[in-house]
């Protein structure tokens, strides 16, 4: 599942949507807005935008590659857009697999790409 949204999300709710007894491992990355851009310049908020049709295609390609290469049972990617303030969630990547190594490595692959 892939979502691009202006709305915040709840970790427990998202986890419950892909929870399964087939999984032995869940790995997730949560990105949030930090208080500075370069550890010097303080900020109050950021504004994120995208060309949604292209972003969905690229995220779907990345997701499909991860599922194939790491034999995942499922993968969830949520990316926020719009005005976000310090501490707010920006991105969530959640991968599921029978084994932890696949879940962890695929999660890292997704966030790096």
């Amino acid at each position: 599942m892939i979502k691009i949204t202006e709305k915040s999300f709840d970790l427990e709710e998202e986890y419950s949507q892909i929870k399964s007894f087939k999984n032995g491992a869940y790995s997730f990355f949560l990105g949030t807005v930090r208080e500075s851009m370069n550890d010097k310049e303080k900020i109050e908020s950021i504004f994120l935008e995208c060309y949604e049709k292209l972003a969905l295609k690229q995220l779907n390609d990345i997701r499909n590659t991860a599922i194939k290469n790491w034999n995942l049972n499922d993968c969830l990617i949520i990316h926020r857009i719009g005005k976000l303030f310090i501490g707010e969630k920006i991105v969530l990547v959640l991968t599921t697999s029978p084994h932890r190594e696949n879940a962890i490595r695929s999660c890292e692959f997704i966030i790096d790409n």
Side-chain angles (χ1 to χ4, degrees):
M1 178 183 336
I2 297 170
K3 298 178 189 176
I4 297 175
T5 181
E6 291 185 21
K7 296 179 182 177
S8 188
F9 51 86
D10 179 75
L11 293 174
E12 286 293 325
E13 183 179 318
E14 299 302 336
Y15 164 73
S16 72
Q17 291 185 37
I18 65 172
K19 184 176 163 184
S20 168
F21 293 122
K22 294 185 289 185
N23 301 317
Y26 295 82
S27 183
F28 78 91
F29 173 84
L30 176 65
T32 62
V33 180
R34 60 182 183 270
E35 67 182 359
S36 66
M37 294 304 287
N38 55 16
D39 294 328
K40 295 177 185 172
E41 182 182 343
K42 299 288 185 187
I43 64 166
E44 292 182 16
S45 64
I46 62 173
F47 187 82
L48 301 173
E49 59 186 350
C50 71
Y51 176 54
E52 195 167 335
K53 185 175 180 179
L54 179 60
L56 286 170
K57 181 192 179 317
Q58 289 177 328
L59 289 173
N60 195 52
D61 289 347
I62 292 166
R63 179 181 182 272
N64 288 339
T65 299
I67 289 170
K68 179 182 172 190
N69 290 350
W70 283 277
N71 194 30
L72 300 179
N73 288 332
D74 208 344
C75 173
L76 169 74
I77 303 170
I78 301 175
H79 206 298
R80 303 268 311 277
I81 56 174
K83 189 171 185 176
L84 303 172
F85 295 91
I86 295 169
E88 285 194 85
K89 296 173 268 201
I90 300 172
V91 63
L92 174 65
V93 174
L94 176 55
T95 59
T96 69
S97 171
H99 306 286
R100 73 170 181 250
E101 184 175 355
N102 289 2
I104 292 168
R105 290 183 185 222
S106 62
C107 190
E108 183 177 32
F109 166 80
I110 293 166
I111 201 64
D112 286 344
N113 285 281

